[in-house]
Amino acid sequence: MPELLPPPGSPERWPWLQQLRRRPSLDLEPWLVAIETGRLQPEADLLAVLAERIDGQATVRLLAWWLTEPSADPECLSVIARLRHPGCAGLLRQALATASSDRQELLVPLLGHQRDPADFNRLRSLALEPGPLLLRRAALEGLALGLPAWPSESLRQVLRSCAVDLDPLLAGAAVDLLARLPHGRRSLSHLDPSRLDGAVARRRQRRLAGLRRSALLLVVHGRRGGVIPEELGTLAREVERLRGTPVHLHALTADPCPAPGDGGDLTLVPLFLLPGTHVRHDLAAVAARWRGRGAVGRVPFLGAWPCWQEALREELAELAGSAAVGSSPWLIHHPMDGKLGSRYLRYLERSLGVRCRSAVADGQEPLPAMEDGAPVLPLVLAANRLTDSLPQWLGQPLLQRFRFRQLLLTQLEALP
């Protein structure tokens, strides 16, 4: 029971706490009541023993006690608020509205630790707006503790602003956080070193050097005999220049060849727009062959990328400017088989508001001219045998269109 606990400084206290820790079960209620009524001060050693027994509701009660106790030890907060609970987040929001500056510096990081997206705007304002420097640093610490919960692009903007701040500690912490985000290399590369404090600029360079990048293996269909369309070769060379790492091109129509033996990490990027046989079966064999040189990571096929689907939507919207009213756009695609391919095409029809049509009707007849005046987009990445058979009025393959080429350059350059 709490009243049997030896006082701080007693030689009997630590053995007593060790016995308490080893108990197979412990009723927390007497301890919580003793703390809430002021009969027991929650010293750090006691909290260390009770920590594993404290659940969400107990956390809320202990935090409520701490917030109403002027002389409560700040060191207790590391245990009291270690769990995430909606009740804790609510208490912290209420306390911050009236707390002194000193207490706000303690509570703001705890609010970030709760990882509630609703608190992002408060933390952003505290980090960016003029105010006590220690409070701004605390707000940035809160953003760091809740890093996965915040909207990524808004968070990136906050960190870019903090990175050019006059306070080198704040700016340096922002640079570290930018490096931890997805596409961290790209975010750091876009920071202008001339606007950074000298120490922060050097910190940026160290973080860039530490973000190791893998070689890329771009897997494409290719033409007969393994010939790779020129636009794909140009894309690979440009990505290699931007990344500063090797970019390999592999055509599935080529004879299997041994992978280079230069070792190092590799990311396999399937540049396919539909989940056909190549995506479902052939890519596994390609990855297995390249694993002989080192670790191989994989990303989804290109057609599954949300940003790619958004680019399709934007391109179709531009084409729709001259379309007949009420006519849904057409997406012309390579003939597909299998249930997965059919489901994917139905998904595109629902999400993009289009009609999908095979480039070859009934497997034999060429594509007839569209008669309803709706915009038409060929779902083809680069020139191949299929595009050779399509009528010229369908226009260029997607990689020859500025929007899609720039998107691929940006996304491939940003891969780890």
Side-chain angles (χ1 to χ4, degrees), residues 210-218 243-248 259-269 287 290-298 415-416:
L211 291 172
R212 183 180 180 184
R213 315 193 75 181
S214 65
L216 296 186
L217 174 63
L218 309 182
R243 290 176 59 86
T245 59
V247 176
H248 307 282
D262 52 351
D265 295 341
L266 180 85
T267 299
L268 188 154
V269 185
W290 282 74
R291 283 194 188 99
R293 68 186 292 283
V296 175
R298 295 173 61 174
L415 286 174

Side-chain angles (χ1 to χ4, degrees), residues 228-288:
I228 294 176
E230 178 56 30
E231 57 261 43
L232 286 169
T234 303
L235 174 77
R237 291 190 293 272
E238 181 66 9
V239 173
E240 189 170 74
R241 183 188 67 80
L242 291 171
R243 290 176 59 86
T245 59
V247 176
H248 307 282
L249 264 175
H250 177 75
L252 293 180
T253 53
D255 294 332
C257 59
D262 52 351
D265 295 341
L266 180 85
T267 299
L268 188 154
V269 185
L271 296 184
F272 296 100
L273 305 185
L274 297 168
T277 302
H278 297 310
V279 170
R280 300 196 309 270
H281 303 294
D282 296 341
L283 290 177
V286 173

Side-chain angles (χ1 to χ4, degrees), residues 45-110:
D45 55 358
L46 172 62
L47 287 177
V49 170
L50 298 180
E52 297 178 359
R53 321 278 184 143
I54 296 174
D55 59 12
Q57 289 297 333
T59 294
V60 173
R61 290 174 63 178
L62 287 172
L63 180 59
W65 166 83
W66 192 96
L67 292 171
T68 57
E69 179 60 45
S71 61
D73 185 357
E75 296 297 326
C76 297
L77 287 175
S78 61
V79 175
I80 288 176
R82 67 184 181 86
L83 296 181
R84 298 186 180 97
H85 191 279
C88 286
L91 287 172
L92 291 167
R93 293 182 194 119
Q94 294 174 14
L96 283 170
T98 57
S100 65
S101 178
D102 291 345
R103 277 220 158 184
Q104 284 185 337
E105 293 164 14
L106 296 172
L107 299 180
V108 164
L110 301 180

Side-chain angles (χ1 to χ4, degrees), residues 173-184:
V175 165
D176 290 345
L177 292 178
L178 281 171
R180 289 171 55 188
L181 295 181
H183 311 314

Side-chain angles (χ1 to χ4, degrees), residues 226-398:
V227 175
I228 294 176
E230 178 56 30
E231 57 261 43
L232 286 169
T234 303
L235 174 77
R237 291 190 293 272
E238 181 66 9
V239 173
E240 189 170 74
R241 183 188 67 80
L242 291 171
R243 290 176 59 86
T245 59
V247 176
H248 307 282
L249 264 175
H250 177 75
L252 293 180
T253 53
D255 294 332
C257 59
D262 52 351
D265 295 341
L266 180 85
T267 299
L268 188 154
V269 185
L271 296 184
F272 296 100
L273 305 185
L274 297 168
T277 302
H278 297 310
V279 170
R280 300 196 309 270
H281 303 294
D282 296 341
L283 290 177
V286 173
R289 188 161 63 250
W290 282 74
R291 283 194 188 99
R293 68 186 292 283
V296 175
R298 295 173 61 174
V299 299
F301 71 99
L302 177 58
W305 297 6
C307 59
W308 183 264
Q309 295 171 16
E310 183 59 30
L312 288 174
R313 182 179 291 106
E314 293 172 357
E315 187 79 7
L316 288 164
E318 289 187 5
L319 294 174
S322 58
V325 176
S327 298
S328 298
W330 288 96
L331 271 184
I332 307 304
H333 59 85
H334 190 280
M336 288 285 294
D337 58 5
K339 294 181 180 179
L340 179 60
S342 299
R343 289 201 304 270
Y344 179 77
L345 292 173
R346 291 197 298 272
Y347 162 76
L348 287 183
E349 289 179 336
R350 292 193 307 271
S351 62
L352 302 182
V354 298
R355 293 172 287 176
C356 293
R357 184 166 185 172
S358 173
V360 179
D362 300 327
Q364 295 180 349
E365 298 298 327
L367 180 73
M370 301 300 178
E371 298 177 355
D372 59 3
V376 182
L377 188 66
L379 197 61
V380 180
L381 185 62
N384 57 23
R385 186 177 61 180
L386 177 63
T387 61
D388 294 343
S389 66
L390 294 176
Q392 292 186 350
W393 53 265
L394 280 178
Q396 301 169 314
L398 299 184

